[in-house]
């Protein structure tokens, strides 16, 4: 099994539950040639949710969460995804972490649980799209704690926008694929410089 949306772009997936955050980002219409928006209608979105939650269960060892979308929930989920995409794209500009109050865009419910093994876990809560938002935000939070979330990026090529996991040693990657998106961008920049010189 693979992450259904991320697999469309033949990308390596982010580790563990962070793969769910990446997969939600990759439901957008992205890539070249352009892939479909997997949240464009309820049937497609529910199919994505079913596959993505099954994959989440496979990588985390947790039971498959039951998430049933309705039309209103799909609108909310799409808005949540688009904001997460925008913020992931902005993050490459390295917003400094601040202690002062930051406006809240979304909130989801989760429960802190003390297990018999002595470990504390954060468990997603809620129903419908809220359950999915909770799963995604728990995974993003765990990624922040593990310092893996900052490696989850969107491709700098505006025609692409695929969400990739940067495994480079110094976290310097900006293209989902240097050969396709990086070289195309370099070529465009080269041609632009030529036009300026020849003008
Ligand atoms: Zn790309």
């Amino acid at each position: 099994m693979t992450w259904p949306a991320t697999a469309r772009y033949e990308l390596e997936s982010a580790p563990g539950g962070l793969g769910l955050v990446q997969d939600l980002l990759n439901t957008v219409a992205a890539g070249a040639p352009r892939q479909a928006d997997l949240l464009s209608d309820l049937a497609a979105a529910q199919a994505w949710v079913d596959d993505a939650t099954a994959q989440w269960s496979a990588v985390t060892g947790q039971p498959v969460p039951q998430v049933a979308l309705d039309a209103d929930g799909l609108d909310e989920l799409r808005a949540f995804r688009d904001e997460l995409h925008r913020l992931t794209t902005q993050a490459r500009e390295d917003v400094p972490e601040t202690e002062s109050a930051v406006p809240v865009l979304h909130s989801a419910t989760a429960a802190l649980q003390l297990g018999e093994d002595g470990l504390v876990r954060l468990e997603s809560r809620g129903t419908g799209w809220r359950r999915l938002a909770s799963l995604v935000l728990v995974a993003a939070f765990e990624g922040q704690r593990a310092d893996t979330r900052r490696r989850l990026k969107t491709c700098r090529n505006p025609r692409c926008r695929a969400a990739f996991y940067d495994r480079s040693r110094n976290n310097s990657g900006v293209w989902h694929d240097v050969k396709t998106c990086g070289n195309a961008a370099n070529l465009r920049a080269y041609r632009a410089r030529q036009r300026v010189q020849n003008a």
Side-chain angles (χ1 to χ4, degrees):
M1 268 195 62
T2 56
W3 289 108
T6 295
R8 302 188 297 165
Y9 304 114
E10 297 175 8
L11 295 164
E12 269 191 80
S13 53
L18 195 60
L20 181 63
V21 184
Q22 181 185 19
D23 213 60
L24 176 62
L25 294 173
N26 278 329
T27 60
V28 296
R34 191 64 95 221
Q35 301 272 350
D37 183 342
L38 294 181
L39 302 185
S40 60
D41 65 71
L42 197 51
Q46 187 64 55
W48 170 75
V49 165
D50 292 346
D51 289 349
T53 50
Q55 175 65 6
W56 177 88
S57 167
V59 299
T60 61
Q62 306 287 314
V64 180
Q66 297 305 313
V67 176
L69 288 178
D70 57 23
D72 289 344
L74 175 58
D75 287 344
E76 301 272 10
L77 180 61
R78 207 183 286 128
F80 173 65
R81 177 210 50 194
D82 291 348
E83 266 175 337
L84 200 59
H85 205 285
R86 175 176 66 80
L87 294 170
T88 304
T89 300
Q90 268 175 15
R92 76 165 75 99
E93 278 132 45
D94 273 333
V95 184
E97 242 181 86
T98 164
E99 294 300 315
S100 57
V102 174
V104 172
L105 288 179
H106 284 281
S107 61
T109 309
L112 288 164
Q113 296 180 325
L114 176 64
E116 176 63 32
D117 55 5
L119 294 180
V120 178
R121 293 183 179 83
L122 194 54
E123 295 279 335
S124 65
R125 286 288 182 272
T127 57
W129 87 274
R130 291 178 189 284
R131 180 64 183 279
L132 196 79
S134 180
L135 284 162
V136 167
L137 291 179
V138 165
F141 181 71
E142 287 171 346
Q144 276 171 218
R145 298 282 112 184
D147 202 25
T148 51
R149 190 181 166 205
R150 65 194 178 88
R151 292 184 172 274
L152 183 57
K153 304 172 178 180
T154 55
C155 182
R156 184 174 280 181
N157 179 357
R159 295 173 201 185
C160 173
R161 310 195 305 148
F164 65 102
Y165 189 75
D166 186 359
R167 285 197 161 75
S168 68
R169 195 143 51 109
N170 53 1
N171 195 31
S172 59
V174 295
W175 315 110
H176 92 273
D177 184 323
V178 175
K179 283 197 210 77
T180 55
C181 288
N183 288 352
N186 290 339
L187 193 62
R188 274 197 301 278
Y190 172 76
R191 285 187 184 140
R193 279 195 304 273
Q194 293 281 303
R195 274 196 299 275
V196 170
Q197 278 171 17
N198 297 337

